[in-house]
Amino acid sequence: MPISHIMASGLTGMRAAGDLVARMQFSEDMRINEAKDYVSKKLGVEAIDLGDEYVMREIREELDIGVLTSVPGCAKGIASKMNIEKLLDIEINCCDKFREITG
Amino acid sequence: MANEYFVRMGDGERISMTKEQIIADLQEGSADAADLGDIPELSGDELDKLADIIMDSNRIVSVEPGMEIPVTHDIGSIRIDGDQGNSGVGIPASRLVGCMMHERGFGADTMELGHIDYSFKPVKPVIAQECQTMESCQQNMTVPLLYGAMPNLGLYYTPDGPFENPGDLMKAFKINEARESIEHAGDHATRDITWIMQHLQKVGCDGVNFDTIGAAGDGDVYASLYAMKALREEFPNIYIEAGMAGECTLGMHGELEFEGNVLAGLWPHEQVPLAEEAGANMFGPVCNTNTSKSSAWNLARSVTFTKAAVEASNIPCHVDMGMGVGGIPMFETPPIDAVTRASKAMVEIAGVDGI
């Protein structure tokens, strides 16, 4: 059932830019259009591109913010989130903890 | 059959209806929500658009390009390794693997970690295990990862918990004692939820999803709102998602309040301001599915309630659209035609910020 929703209406997570839009909704209480505008400006794309896998694949790899397939050398997990923090100008809790631990 | 369309009953059964029957059900469903919630019915244009979505000849429908929204997830990876009681598919997999499958395999926009019981109370004895798993998941995942659980006040009453069951007390006409029991249970739940999330935030958790708030009535809502308030005060950046259990808050107690507002009898558009005030930054409005009515009736009713909540809200609304809510049939594997129609209608007519 969740996959039916994702196919019908979803931004499809890391396939495109769904995780980035969701982060802005949670981080800054942004409604959907505000969150999409914010993320698209940060990425330098149109809002319609945020759900476009073709556009977002290259951008995600270039910015090293996590890609769906397992590309050797690309940032994964917490490393990708540390790049997302810088891109979106937000703080992510686990990245703060990582910095605390690593000094 | 030439002039009839396939639709679903609220239990998922396929039926056929004429255009006139569908429109009549749409009007009736919307009017029912408007009457109960004292909110506007859907306009003629909105009902026409809803009818077009329902009568689309394709099995799967979708939103127009550019209208996509984030889809947040509840139940955690229990969907993968859980049993039928949680609608799990029983694939043996760790919770980390389950979370990563959602992120990399299914295109989830957010994910959550949850305990197999999926209630807050049983997490207490295994909090170190939950912290360890959360830490591993956060190190390996990119999408926002919350901790999800149900407030589930029922676990605080006998025979499962320390307080006498208010249902038993009410049957004995001990109304004041029943209310006291609900108040005690609510305070304990607030304390437990706050304590659990304090530990999880310390290991890098993004936040918390309160799933099915109000399932045990207004005491459940009381406990959740005060837990949100405490968490927001202690962790200003925590992500808090407030997902409701039902369209109307049941007044099991009847007089419980949050910051001077009586909780019993609230509809989605009245619930969201309280969630905001408590510190939530995402709200999940609910409209329950009536299995004896058509999907046209249920969807119109759900869209009407949800649209009013979205308009009343200052925070993103991710409408609850699991089995048996949000116009989705009450069935474990809801038909794809029904799910995608409801999904499109919520985005394009109710204007939700996510699902």
Side-chain angles (χ1 to χ4, degrees):
Chain A
M1 183 201 60
I3 293 174
S4 302
H5 280 306
I6 291 167
M7 294 300 104
S9 326
L11 276 165
T12 70
M14 288 170 65
R15 289 171 60 90
D19 60 317
L20 307 179
V21 175
R23 276 229 184 259
M24 295 319 301
Q25 291 192 322
F26 274 120
S27 296
E28 303 294 336
D29 298 0
M30 287 183 178
R31 305 301 292 263
I32 183 66
N33 292 332
E34 190 186 359
K36 281 183 166 181
D37 283 349
Y38 184 89
V39 174
S40 58
K41 280 178 186 149
K42 291 286 184 185
L43 294 171
V45 298
E46 299 294 320
I48 197 170
D49 295 328
L50 299 176
D52 187 328
E53 293 90 338
Y54 181 83
V55 174
M56 284 307 304
R57 170 63 197 231
E58 197 172 321
I59 289 174
R60 291 196 79 111
E61 206 161 324
E62 264 177 29
L63 297 173
D64 217 6
I65 53 173
V67 290
L68 198 77
T69 52
S70 186
V71 179
C74 272
K76 297 176 182 68
I78 203 161
S80 62
K81 284 186 278 196
M82 294 182 90
N83 290 335
I84 288 171
E85 271 191 323
K86 283 182 262 180
L87 171 73
L88 297 180
D89 197 20
I90 56 172
E91 286 181 9
I92 297 175
N93 191 23
C94 67
C95 299
D96 285 339
K97 303 298 174 201
F98 190 83
R99 280 186 289 269
E100 278 174 32
I101 293 167
T102 56
Chain B
M1 288 295 288
N3 295 320
E4 295 201 346
Y5 300 86
F6 285 127
V7 293
R8 299 278 173 178
M9 287 297 290
D11 65 357
E13 183 190 6
R14 193 180 68 199
I15 57 169
S16 60
M17 294 173 78
T18 64
K19 181 179 180 180
E20 291 72 26
Q21 288 172 324
I22 289 171
I23 289 172
D25 269 13
L26 291 174
Q27 290 169 336
E28 194 183 310
S30 181
D32 187 64
D35 180 45
L36 288 168
D38 196 18
I39 52 177
E41 291 183 34
L42 296 179
S43 69
D45 287 348
E46 289 164 339
L47 288 171
D48 287 346
K49 186 171 174 66
L50 197 45
D52 288 343
I53 292 170
I54 287 172
M55 294 187 295
D56 192 299
S57 58
N58 294 294
R59 180 181 179 226
I60 296 174
V61 301
S62 75
V63 299
E64 293 172 19
M67 296 284 286
E68 301 91 343
I69 43 81
V71 178
T72 48
H73 283 252
D74 64 357
I75 203 67
S77 59
I78 302 167
R79 187 178 289 122
I80 303 294
D81 65 341
D83 64 283
Q84 186 259 349
N86 274 315
S87 301
V89 294
I91 299 173
S94 73
R95 288 188 289 170
L96 169 62
V97 169
C99 287
M100 292 182 75
M101 283 167 71
H102 278 77
E103 174 183 279
R104 312 277 170 89
F106 304 159
D109 295 304
T110 76
M111 190 48 192
E112 66 170 44
L113 182 69
H115 177 268
I116 190 66
D117 185 86
Y118 204 54
S119 297
F120 279 106
K121 185 170 170 248
V123 173
K124 289 192 297 176
V126 292
I127 187 65
Q129 177 70 29
E130 297 307 275
C131 288
Q132 176 192 300
T133 308
M134 174 58 74
E135 208 164 15
S136 298
C137 289
Q138 289 291 354
Q139 285 169 351
N140 284 284
M141 293 183 64
T142 300
V143 305
L145 180 73
L146 285 73
Y147 192 80
M150 302 184 292
N152 195 359
L153 217 60
L155 290 184
Y156 291 85
Y157 303 130
T158 52
D160 300 310
F163 304 110
E164 201 159 349
N165 195 306
D168 293 339
L169 291 167
M170 280 191 256
K171 276 191 289 187
F173 298 100
K174 295 180 177 177
I175 304 302
N176 288 335
E177 289 87 342
R179 283 180 168 156
E180 281 173 19
S181 190
I182 293 170
E183 290 162 18
H184 288 312
D187 289 338
H188 274 242
T190 298
R191 189 192 63 189
D192 288 351
I193 295 166
T194 308
W195 183 85
I196 289 163
M197 288 313 303
Q198 283 169 336
H199 282 73
L200 286 159
Q201 287 306 106
K202 285 175 188 163
V203 296
C205 181
D206 276 316
V208 55
N209 175 25
F210 288 79
D211 194 332
T212 64
I213 297 170
D218 49 353
D220 211 279
V221 181
Y222 168 89
S224 303
L225 293 175
Y226 279 106
M228 284 177 212
K229 187 180 177 199
L231 289 168
R232 177 60 64 206
E233 283 171 4
E234 186 170 353
F235 305 104
N237 295 327
I238 187 175
Y239 302 171
I240 299 179
E241 182 168 11
M244 304 304 291
E247 62 206 30
C248 183
T249 306
L250 298 177
M252 301 299 290
H253 182 290
E255 294 180 346
L256 284 174
E257 296 180 358
F258 176 73
E259 307 297 358
N261 299 286
V262 175
L263 301 173
L266 297 181
W267 299 94
H269 66 290
E270 298 163 327
Q271 295 162 356
V272 63
L274 297 188
E276 269 181 58
E277 190 177 349
N281 42 24
M282 192 171 284
F283 179 71
V286 164
C287 175
N288 303 95
T289 296
N290 183 331
T291 54
S292 302
K293 297 284 190 179
S294 72
S295 56
W297 187 91
N298 278 301
L299 190 51
R301 189 170 180 276
S302 291
V303 168
T304 305
F305 269 129
T306 305
K307 183 168 180 279
V310 168
E311 287 173 356
S313 178
N314 293 305
I315 56 175
C317 285
H318 281 212
V319 59
D320 292 0
M321 295 190 76
M323 297 82 89
V325 288
I328 305 289
M330 175 70 90
F331 186 62
E332 274 195 328
T333 48
I336 291 169
D337 51 280
V339 175
T340 58
R341 277 162 177 74
S343 207
K344 179 178 171 70
M346 283 297 183
V347 174
E348 296 187 351
I349 301 173
V352 296
D353 302 280
I355 290 174

